[in-house]
Amino acid sequence: MRKLLTICLLMATIYTANAQKIKNSKGESEATNEISQTINANPENLNSGYQYAFNVDFDVTIGLQMMYKTSYLIQIHAIKPNTSKGYYFSPSREKGKYYSCTQLDNLCDNLILSSVNIVAIWSYQGLEYKTGSIQLSSQNGSFLNCSTSISNPNTTAIPHDAVISGEAKVVRIEFVDWHFKNESNITEKIRTTFFK
């Protein structure tokens, strides 16, 4: 049992130690207790009826905002569109399908993110609380290394002291909307070519 505990503690320490730091534009730390992870944004997992997007891996770091310790910060460190499956398109409530980049006349090239929204799931006393949609910040057209605040979604149920003490924390991030600059060309190509 002691060995298992030691291994778990060591793994948690390595995971936290390898976390990227959340820094502002001056290179100053903005958060504590950072955790870095890769989150796959998969359009097939979206709840809305009209789904369209590429699969994207987002390398992110979340951490407790350092100054007041009453909110969390999220920062994207890498955006990796996965175009190997193609572009997922689901009109209305129909089952969607992937259209390959070859079918799309190579419109998959030079993808530049134009918008991204997340929801954050907080945990406190065994219950989970979900934020509304949060648009991530960008600077000069880039989402990389820009911090976005994740506020307490329910200040009645989650007191500020619980956030400060670490009893309440962000435990999961879900990407709910992400788009690239040329997506209108991609969706137009799909509509005019495959939905005549």
Side-chain angles (χ1 to χ4, degrees):
M1 183 68 172
R2 183 176 281 182
K3 282 184 180 180
L4 180 61
L5 254 131
T6 304
I7 291 169
C8 289
L9 181 60
L10 182 59
M11 288 175 65
T13 304
I14 290 169
Y15 188 63
T16 304
N18 289 334
Q20 291 209 23
K21 294 292 180 187
I22 296 176
K23 296 182 178 181
N24 62 22
S25 59
K26 297 176 185 174
E28 301 164 336
S29 290
E30 291 189 298
T32 62
N33 303 329
E34 289 106 327
I35 295 174
S36 295
Q37 57 190 160
T38 299
I39 300 172
N40 176 258
N42 184 338
E44 295 178 74
N45 296 335
L46 296 174
N47 291 328
S48 62
Y50 184 69
Q51 304 154 348
Y52 59 95
F54 288 105
N55 280 278
V56 181
D57 286 336
F58 290 95
D59 291 348
V60 303
T61 299
I62 59 171
L64 183 62
Q65 187 267 349
M66 191 180 285
M67 188 177 291
Y68 301 110
K69 294 185 168 66
T70 56
S71 64
Y72 271 71
L73 294 175
I74 182 169
Q75 202 170 73
I76 297 176
H77 300 292
I79 302 163
K80 303 172 202 163
N82 181 352
T83 59
S84 62
K85 288 176 87 172
Y87 187 80
Y88 186 79
F89 187 83
S90 173
S92 219
R93 297 205 178 272
E94 299 172 29
K95 175 78 173 132
K97 68 177 259 184
Y98 285 93
Y99 295 87
S100 72
C101 291
T102 306
Q103 290 174 295
L104 301 174
D105 297 333
N106 295 315
L107 288 169
C108 305
D109 297 341
N110 303 317
L111 295 173
I112 299 169
L113 197 68
S114 61
S115 67
V116 60
N117 292 282
I118 62 160
V119 295
I121 293 79
W122 288 68
S123 176
Y124 177 59
Q125 293 185 335
L127 298 174
E128 289 190 342
Y129 302 87
K130 189 180 273 195
T131 65
S133 182
I134 300 168
Q135 184 173 359
L136 296 189
S137 302
S138 64
Q139 185 174 14
N140 299 325
S142 175
F143 290 86
L144 298 178
N145 302 314
C146 294
S147 298
T148 304
S149 181
I150 302 171
S151 298
N152 181 342
N154 189 332
T155 54
T156 305
I158 306 174
H160 288 302
D161 290 347
V163 180
I164 293 168
S165 70
E167 293 175 76
K169 57 186 157 194
V170 174
V171 292
R172 197 166 64 253
I173 299 292
E174 295 174 1
F175 284 78
V176 294
D177 190 42
W178 59 98
H179 295 288
F180 293 90
K181 288 185 179 176
N182 66 335
E183 271 191 271
S184 59
N185 296 336
I186 294 171
T187 57
E188 184 63 23
K189 172 75 177 172
I190 291 170
R191 283 190 196 99
T192 56
T193 307
F194 302 102
F195 291 90
K196 293 182 178 178

